[in-house]
């Protein structure tokens, strides 16, 4: 079943949903990148919850004027209008009152969502409302997705992607350094509104598939995942788009391959799985890499301390130090230095003295700044400089290396 | 916060002679909440000189610069660039913000930061070509950071971060350089590198204005000094304005007489 789903063999509806979800994932991942980089990820939560009253009001208006209350474009326009109002409320509250942004988000999110739920209850009691199925917008409902719905998602998503592509430079610049952007004549407030407006567009487009409660995950998880793999802004948004697209495709496929499995939540779980892979296995920023780095550093510290202790004839009590020295063939099990160990220890002690000279002399200021107790002095100074320092220290010149 | 004084509405021409001073500020008042941080300040920057803006913490040094550039909206007042409106002359200004004002864990490389200085040239869609890249590398070379071009900015020391910011400003090829505390928290080697770049700019006929904290180096680094503590205290060449009396007025009791004595002040 799963293979059939992934190769789009499960029938018309499943294929539409899978392709739609994939495309939505790409758009959400790319757009969410800038929200994440501007540290405004949570604003998307307020935006998405603020769509609900708009959906309900649009339904009421369309029914009142005798139309089909479930017309998708009408519902999406309504949701966009109320999400836009919610967005303006958040940015107005943060700018002109003493409320912090998180408080403003919390207030807008809950009030709009509550209002939306009240309207949904009213719709339930309307004669035309019983079969409305508007609850589907809460968690997404893909069962009855039509060709026209897919086209709406495609066009909305494409327009969003095109805008992101066109404005990626000012958006990255504002996200990194808003003051510099403003000094260059950019209208920072307007760019911020653009970033959030694009997230709003994705939210509205994604209502049908993922629903308003979980769309946040599609905007936030992919860029956070992408950040683990790269240190470049353009690559973050590229990888984020890929992560979003794969999550949408695989998630929709999984949910289509089993009966009664919701699409939106599965998509979110798939993207979470990709996040976990990145969290643990990403080079540099991943947890595993960090742990490895820590152990390697710890070993270097212990080796250094052990060598200095050997050189000064002090006993070594630390078990890890002893083990490391033994394994490197520098000490015997009873803690006595081997031939090689004595040579390395003497060198370590010598380097310590050399560093002392370097750190006391203004002329070596640049090199002294690099001192951390571990760095090999040869990586900082030239052989000539070391010879000169040795000359100053005096004593045996031929220290074994 | 953004209320403007009715008396200052409109675009009345600046009354005094500003001629074509690189930066002329008139009647600038900025306040956060009800407390003015900068009050009715005039400043006339001299072309081709290095000017230090000096004053105690919270005296409005950085705010004055930000207001002059329109980063912060002033309550009243205006700034003119080379005798014309800020809007028409922005391309002649390079601004270096405080190093601490950005998140250095941002996913970007050193070279990308410098390329931001070419934003005006690149616009929204133009591709980054080898000549843009070469230009950015040349700017990194001037601050001695070419080896770091491909590094993520989070791996830099404070001094290196400051030099990258300066390289970005150099890429803008401006006539007027405004720097907010370029020497704050940098190592001595970086301080030397930065001051030699800035002096190089001045020798090319550019104008440099820097918010400066370290009173002991004003004499050595700068030609002119602007002293501020919410209001303007003094403005002029270091020789005539950087005097014990003016320092007393600027810092009040915050500088003990002993500290003033240690400064290599001009006789005044």
């Amino acid at each position: 079943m799963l293979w059939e789903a992934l190769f789009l063999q499960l029938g018309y509806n499943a294929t539409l949903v899978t392709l739609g979800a994939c495309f939505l994932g790409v758009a959400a991942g790319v757009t969410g990148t800038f929200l994440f980089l501007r540290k405004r990820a949570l604003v998307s939560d307020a935006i998405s919850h603020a769509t609900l009253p708009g959906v309900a009001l649009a339904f009421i208006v369309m029914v009142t004027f005798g139309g089909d209350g479930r017309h998708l474009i009408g519902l999406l326009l309504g949701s966009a209008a109320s999400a836009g109002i919610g967005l303006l409320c958040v940015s107005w509250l943060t700018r002109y009152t003493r409320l912090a942004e998180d408080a403003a988000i919390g207030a807008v999110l809950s009030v709009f969502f509550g209002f939306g739920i009240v309207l949904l209850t009213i719709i339930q009691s309307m004669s035309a409302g019983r079969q409305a199925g508007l609850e589907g917008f809460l968690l997404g409902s893909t069962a009855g997705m039509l060709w026209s719905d897919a086209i709406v998602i495609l066009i909305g998503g494409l327009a969003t992607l095109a805008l992101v592509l066109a404005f990626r430079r000012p958006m990255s610049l504002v996200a990194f350094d808003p003051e510099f952007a403003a000094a260059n004549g950019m209208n920072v407030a307007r760019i911020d509104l653009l970033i959030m407006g694009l997230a709003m567009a994705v939210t509205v487009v994604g209502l049908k598939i993922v629903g308003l409660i979980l769309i946040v995950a599609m905007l936030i998880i992919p860029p956070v995942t992408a950040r683990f793999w790269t240190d470049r802004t353009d690559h973050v948004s590229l990888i984020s788009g890929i992560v979003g697209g794969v999550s949408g495709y695989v998630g929709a496929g999984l949910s289509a391959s089993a009966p009664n499995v919701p699409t939106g939540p599965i998509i979110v779980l798939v993207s979470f799985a990709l996040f976990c892979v990145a969290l643990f296995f990403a080079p540099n920023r991943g947890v595993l890499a960090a742990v490895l780095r820590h152990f390697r550093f710890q070993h270097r510290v212990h080796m250094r301390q052990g060598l200095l202790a050997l050189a000064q004839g002090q006993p070594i009590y630390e078990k890890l130090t002893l083990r490391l020295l033994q394994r490197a063939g520098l000490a015997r099990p009873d803690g006595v230095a081997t031939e090689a160990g004595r040579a390395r220890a003497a060198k370590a002690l010598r380097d310590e003295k050399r560093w002392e000279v370097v750190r006391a002399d203004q002329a070596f200021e640049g090199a002294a700044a690099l001192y951390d107790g571990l760095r090999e002095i040869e990586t900082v100074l030239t052989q000539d400089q070391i010879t000169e320092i040795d000359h100053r220290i005096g004593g045996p010149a031929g220290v074994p290396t | 916060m953004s209320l403007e004084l009715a008396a200052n509405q409109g675009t009345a021409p600046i009354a005094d002679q500003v001629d074509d001073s690189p930066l002329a500020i008139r009647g600038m008042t900025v306040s956060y909440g009800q407390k003015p941080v900068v009050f009715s300040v005039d400043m006339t920057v001299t072309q081709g000189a290095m000017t230090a803006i000096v004053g105690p913490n919270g005296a409005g040094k950085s705010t004055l610069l930000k207001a002059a550039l329109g980063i912060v909206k002033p309550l009243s007042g205006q700034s003119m660039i080379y005798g014309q409106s800020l809007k028409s002359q922005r391309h002649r200004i390079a601004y270096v913000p405080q190093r601490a004002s950005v998140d250095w864990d941002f996913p970007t490389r050193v070279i990308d930061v410098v390329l931001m200085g070419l934003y005006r040239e690149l616009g929204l869609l133009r591709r980054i070509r080898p000549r843009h890249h070469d230009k950015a590398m040349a700017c990194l070379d001037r601050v001695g950071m070419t080896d770091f071009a491909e590094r993520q900015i989070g791996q830099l020391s404070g001094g290196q971060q400051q030099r990258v910011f300066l390289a970005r400003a150099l890429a803008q090829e401006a006539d007027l350089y405004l720097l907010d505390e370029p020497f704050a928290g940098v190592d001595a080697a970086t301080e030397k590198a930065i001051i030699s770049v800035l002096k190089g700019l001045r020798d090319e006929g550019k104008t440099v204005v820097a918010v400066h904290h370290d009173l002991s180096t004003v004499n050595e680094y700068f030609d002119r000094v602007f002293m501020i503590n919410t209001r303007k205290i003094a403005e002029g060449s270091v020789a005539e304005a950087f005097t014990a009396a003016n320092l007393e007025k600027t810092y009040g009791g915050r500088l003990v007489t002993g500290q003033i004595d240690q400064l290599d002040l001009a006789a005044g």
Side-chain angles (χ1 to χ4, degrees), chain B residues 2 16 41 47 59 86 88 94 97 99 126 140 151 182 189-190 206 209 217-218 230-231 258 262 268:
Chain B
S2 59
D16 339 16
V41 168
Q47 156 70 29
L86 172 65
S88 69
R99 187 164 54 81
R126 220 154 295 139
L140 277 176
R151 296 270 191 98
T190 296
K206 319 270 191 191
V209 179
T217 49
V218 169
T230 306
R231 289 156 196 271
Q262 280 171 17

Side-chain angles (χ1 to χ4, degrees), chain A residues 217 221 247 251 254 263-276:
Chain A
I221 297 178
S247 316
L254 279 175
T263 312
I266 298 292
I267 293 176
V268 173
L269 288 180
V270 171
S271 65
F272 176 68
L274 294 175
F275 166 79
C276 286

Side-chain angles (χ1 to χ4, degrees), chain A residues 71-385:
Chain A
H71 189 63
L72 185 64
I73 293 183
L75 294 178
L76 294 191
L77 285 178
S79 70
S82 76
I85 295 171
L87 179 57
L88 291 177
C89 284
V90 172
S91 71
W92 186 86
L93 281 173
T94 3
R95 266 184 88 176
Y96 296 108
T97 71
R98 308 192 74 134
L99 276 186
E101 191 167 55
D102 56 345
I105 289 171
V108 169
L109 182 155
S110 48
V111 169
F112 274 71
F113 191 65
F115 181 48
I117 294 292
V118 169
L119 289 174
L120 278 192
T121 323
I122 293 173
I123 289 174
Q124 292 292 327
S125 64
M126 285 166 61
S127 56
R130 272 186 286 277
Q131 73 281 39
L134 288 189
E135 310 82 47
F137 281 95
L138 290 178
L139 290 168
S141 81
T142 50
M145 202 160 115
L146 305 172
W147 174 245
S148 60
D149 297 350
I151 292 293
V152 169
I153 292 170
L154 184 74
I155 293 175
L158 270 181
T160 312
L161 269 183
L163 279 172
V164 171
L165 221 59
F167 288 97
R168 64 189 194 283
R169 264 185 206 143
M171 291 195 300
S172 325
L173 191 47
V174 164
F176 172 60
D177 193 344
E179 286 184 3
F180 180 79
N184 272 284
M186 270 179 227
N187 188 329
V188 174
R190 209 173 291 164
I191 302 275
D192 273 340
L193 220 53
L194 175 72
I195 295 176
M196 293 187 276
L198 289 170
M200 186 187 94
V202 169
T203 306
V204 167
V205 165
L207 282 182
K208 182 82 185 168
I209 294 184
V210 214
L212 62 91
I213 293 179
L214 288 177
I215 188 78
V216 189
M218 295 194 76
L219 284 164
I220 300 178
I221 297 178
V224 174
T225 307
R227 182 66 186 92
F228 277 103
W229 297 108
T230 176
D231 279 331
R232 296 179 56 174
T233 312
D234 44 352
H235 291 186
V236 172
S237 63
L238 186 72
I239 297 174
S240 175
I242 295 173
V243 169
V246 169
S247 316
Y249 192 91
V250 174
L254 279 175
S255 83
S257 62
N260 294 324
V261 176
T263 312
I266 298 292
I267 293 176
V268 173
L269 288 180
V270 171
S271 65
F272 176 68
L274 294 175
F275 166 79
C276 286
V277 172
L279 175 67
F280 289 107
F281 301 110
N284 296 323
R285 296 181 78 89
V287 171
L288 217 59
V291 170
L292 278 178
R293 227 178 5 247
H294 173 77
F295 277 123
R296 234 175 269 143
F297 182 71
Q298 192 184 26
H299 285 186
R300 279 178 66 201
V301 171
H302 277 270
M303 275 298 260
R304 192 86 193 162
Q305 285 174 339
L307 284 173
L308 289 175
L310 285 183
Q312 290 156 340
Q314 294 164 350
I316 299 169
Y317 300 111
E318 187 84 44
K319 285 206 183 76
L320 175 62
T321 314
L322 262 182
R323 214 165 56 231
L324 288 170
L325 287 172
Q326 275 176 43
R327 207 189 298 158
L330 300 177
R332 298 202 314 250
D334 56 2
V336 177
T338 63
E339 189 73 22
R342 272 199 296 280
R344 283 281 298 278
K347 157 90 163 73
L349 196 60
R350 185 81 186 174
D351 278 356
E352 233 14 58
K353 285 205 185 106
R354 287 163 171 167
W355 272 115
E356 242 167 67
V357 175
V358 167
R359 292 171 72 199
D361 189 344
Q362 273 289 313
F364 291 115
E365 200 186 342
L370 295 170
Y371 176 77
D372 57 4
L374 294 173
R375 195 181 283 268
E376 300 288 332
I377 200 157
E378 288 85 3
T379 63
V380 179
L381 298 178
T382 64
Q383 199 53 52
D384 289 349
Q385 286 173 310

